[in-house]
Amino acid sequence: MKAFRLDELEAERAANEGAYLQFIRERNMSVGLYALDAGALDPQQPHRQDEVYLVVSGRASITVGTETTQVGRGSVVYVPAGAVHKFHHITEDLRVMVIFSPPEG
């Protein structure tokens, strides 16, 4: 078993001065914590993997393809492989659990 605490993952991500911290990588999936501060721009490009986002905290909008929705704590968004997508209008620091299948990279 692997078990994690969000506060410890956030501290590790911040200490590494990156927006993304991958903390699980297995044969069929990977999981990471993605952080964007209020007002930040999301530099993401389409990925080759399917993704699921679970918003842990914060508020923003996300556009996937031509569809846009607002997200906040507890929101879950599926992004198919290859889809253009971005978080935007980030009004509260955003922390998102990201699940990739197959693993990213």
Side-chain angles (χ1 to χ4, degrees):
M1 174 174 55
K2 296 179 183 180
F4 304 88
R5 290 178 43 115
L6 283 173
D7 57 343
E8 292 171 354
L9 294 171
E10 175 61 13
E12 182 179 348
R13 185 207 56 78
N16 290 321
E17 299 181 2
Y20 185 72
L21 171 70
Q22 180 177 276
F23 60 93
I24 296 175
R25 182 174 181 83
E26 298 294 337
R27 185 171 54 90
N28 293 317
M29 63 179 278
S30 62
V31 182
L33 180 63
Y34 188 44
L36 293 167
D37 291 337
L41 298 176
D42 184 359
Q44 290 193 81
Q45 298 295 319
H47 300 96
R48 293 178 294 156
Q49 305 83 2
D50 288 338
E51 296 176 76
V52 173
Y53 291 120
L54 168 61
V55 178
V56 175
S57 64
R59 299 191 70 68
S61 294
I62 185 171
T63 299
V64 179
T66 60
E67 296 181 274
T68 299
T69 191
Q70 293 184 349
V71 294
R73 182 178 179 209
S75 297
V76 178
V77 178
Y78 167 70
V79 179
V84 174
H85 60 287
K86 297 248 187 244
F87 289 100
H88 52 92
H89 296 97
I90 302 167
T91 58
E92 296 175 15
D93 291 353
L94 192 63
R95 299 300 181 263
V96 181
M97 193 75 56
V98 185
I99 301 144
F100 287 99
S101 181
E104 181 187 33

